[in-house]
Amino acid sequence: MSHALLAGLSRTTEPRTMLRRFLAVDAVVTGANALAYAAASGPLGRLLGIDAALLLGLGVFLVAYAAAVGLVASRPQPPATAVKLVVDANVLWTVLSVVALVAWLEPTTAGALWIPAQAATVAGFAALQWSALRAGDR
């Protein structure tokens, strides 16, 4: 995510607004990724060196997850428990991505670059969401 986009999203003194924006961007990015995995699991699987059935399953799961994050983002006051679940899920995704890369996936060069990049993006969402949630507690 570019610094300009982050600066634009966080340009507010209202932590709740910032939190909703970070959740919404997470939902959009995750949803786009999910649709790509689901709709193009074969070609993407070949490109990344990841089983197409795994990508399809991840895509379907991520569609539902993105919708849930979007629902949380749409709330005028996102519930802290729901936000914490999103943060925890993002942290878990990050850890599992790295473990899968090291322990059992045998990706192509593109996959070996993509997996850590998407894990870092998801970790960034978790950090931004957690930070905005904590700022709202003050």
Side-chain angles (χ1 to χ4, degrees), residues 29-54:
V29 170
T30 300
N33 201 40
L35 292 174
Y37 284 177
S41 58
L44 282 175
R46 288 186 294 278
L47 174 68
L48 301 174
I50 299 171
D51 182 68
L54 174 60

Side-chain angles (χ1 to χ4, degrees), residues 48 101 107-119:
L48 301 174
L101 178 62
T108 61
T109 301
L113 295 172
W114 173 253
I115 294 166
Q118 62 80 34

Side-chain angles (χ1 to χ4, degrees), residues 7 29 35 42 56 58-59 62 65 72-73 78 87 94 107 112 119 127 133:
V29 170
L35 292 174
L56 177 61
L58 289 173
L62 289 173
Y65 179 74
V72 175
V87 170
T94 301
L133 180 65

Side-chain angles (χ1 to χ4, degrees), residues 16 19 23 72 75-88 129-130 132-134 136-137:
R16 180 178 27 189
L19 175 59
L23 288 165
V72 175
R75 303 285 304 269
Q77 175 92 26
T81 301
V83 174
K84 289 175 186 174
L85 285 172
V86 170
V87 170
D88 288 347
Q129 292 156 354
W130 181 253
L133 180 65
R134 300 287 292 160
D137 290 343

Side-chain angles (χ1 to χ4, degrees), residues 54 96 99-106:
L54 174 60
L96 290 176
V99 168
L101 178 62
V102 172
W104 56 274
L105 292 178
E106 295 179 12

